[in-house]
Amino acid sequence: ILNVEQSPQSLHVQEGDSTNFTCSFPSSNFYALHWYRWETAKSPEALFVMTLNGDEKKKGRISATLNTKEGYSYLYIKGSQPEDSATYLCASIPGGGYNKLIFGAGTRLAVHP
Amino acid sequence: DSGVTQTPKHLITATGQRVTLRCSPRSGDLSVYWYQQSLDQGLQFLIQYYNGEERAKGNILERFSAQQFPDLHSELNLSSLELGDSALYFCASSSRDRPTDTQYFGPGTRLTVL
């Protein structure tokens, strides 16, 4: 069974703090990793798609890294703002030729002014 | 706005009934995916269609079925509904059928089974 795990489950930070979360996935059966941002009452919004070991992606104040050998990815937010408050989901696509996104439970971020 | 549309937005029905959820992908996208978000579970992959053909299947119940039509819209049919089928159902679409394709999610259909 392929499990994608995210930690921490929730996080409260102050405006201006930088923060990071972890996504772990089985490294033995990996093809791609997707990160999503999911605000309450909206639909998940794609942030990054990553495939290569050592890959780094950046979008504004948000960046992500990928380690496929040890099976983890980090998502970083620099200088958190209240509008960054959301649940951040990662999803792994295992090898095998199918595009099933296997989602983690998410990290719920609350940024307090 | 992702460009993916889903109807209806909310659906309330009774146990034993059958419902149909509809999804229109982004213009030009060939793949449609269905996901279920239950209260006690994360987003679960149900099924994928690519250009009208079933491409991948997740833990989709036998009471559930889906199809993708020639105009590429998709429908998810849920029958003999049970209380546990109450969930948020998302449709997503991507341009092709590659693992690196971004999947764009629709606004979801919230199904409540009473």
Side-chain angles (χ1 to χ4, degrees):
Chain A
I1 296 176
L2 183 66
N3 283 326
V4 177
E5 297 182 356
Q6 292 188 247
S7 62
Q9 196 171 21
S10 66
L11 198 52
H12 292 258
V13 301
Q14 291 298 126
E15 184 175 353
D17 287 350
S18 292
T19 187
N20 64 86
F21 344 118
T22 305
C23 171
S24 301
F25 53 86
S27 57
S28 58
N29 186 16
F30 171 83
Y31 195 105
L33 190 86
H34 293 236
W35 278 101
Y36 284 85
R37 180 172 178 273
W38 191 3
E39 287 183 74
T40 304
K42 294 189 178 179
S43 51
E45 174 196 349
L47 288 174
F48 307 115
V49 180
M50 309 173 79
T51 57
L52 300 175
N53 186 46
D55 210 359
E56 285 190 40
K57 299 267 180 162
K58 190 173 180 182
K59 190 175 183 176
R61 293 179 292 98
I62 304 177
S63 60
T65 61
L66 180 66
N67 183 322
T68 61
K69 292 183 180 178
E70 294 182 45
Y72 65 83
S73 175
Y74 293 139
L75 188 82
Y76 301 91
I77 302 179
K78 187 177 176 183
S80 303
Q81 299 296 309
E83 57 265 30
D84 295 328
S85 298
T87 295
Y88 291 83
L89 296 168
C90 70
S92 173
I93 292 190
Y98 299 110
N99 293 342
K100 304 183 199 188
L101 282 174
I102 312 292
F103 279 92
T107 292
R108 188 172 299 176
L109 174 68
V111 182
H112 302 282
Chain B
D1 183 0
S2 66
V4 178
T5 60
Q6 288 187 248
T7 55
K9 201 167 181 177
H10 300 279
L11 199 47
I12 301 173
T13 189
T15 54
Q17 295 298 303
R18 174 190 166 96
V19 296
T20 297
L21 313 184
R22 183 187 167 106
C23 168
S24 292
R26 293 186 326 151
S27 177
D29 282 0
L30 298 178
S31 274
V32 169
Y33 310 80
W34 286 97
Y35 292 88
Q36 180 191 55
Q37 165 89 38
S38 302
L39 264 177
D40 56 348
Q41 296 205 7
L43 275 166
Q44 301 283 319
F45 169 79
L46 294 177
I47 198 163
Q48 178 205 356
Y49 280 83
Y50 174 67
N51 205 20
E53 301 288 326
E54 183 184 302
R55 183 74 180 96
K57 224 168 179 175
N59 295 328
I60 187 167
L61 298 171
E62 282 191 15
R63 300 183 285 109
F64 295 2
S65 65
Q67 53 184 324
Q68 186 180 27
F69 294 86
D71 67 351
L72 301 176
H73 91 271
S74 177
E75 292 181 358
L76 179 67
N77 299 296
L78 316 175
S79 61
S80 303
L81 284 167
E82 301 175 1
L83 295 177
D85 297 327
S86 295
L88 190 51
Y89 291 85
F90 283 108
C91 163
S93 74
S94 68
S95 56
R96 291 176 64 183
D97 184 32
R98 298 166 299 196
T100 51
D101 289 341
T102 295
Q103 294 185 24
Y104 295 90
F105 281 72
T109 292
R110 183 166 294 282
L111 173 67
T112 303
V113 183
L114 301 175

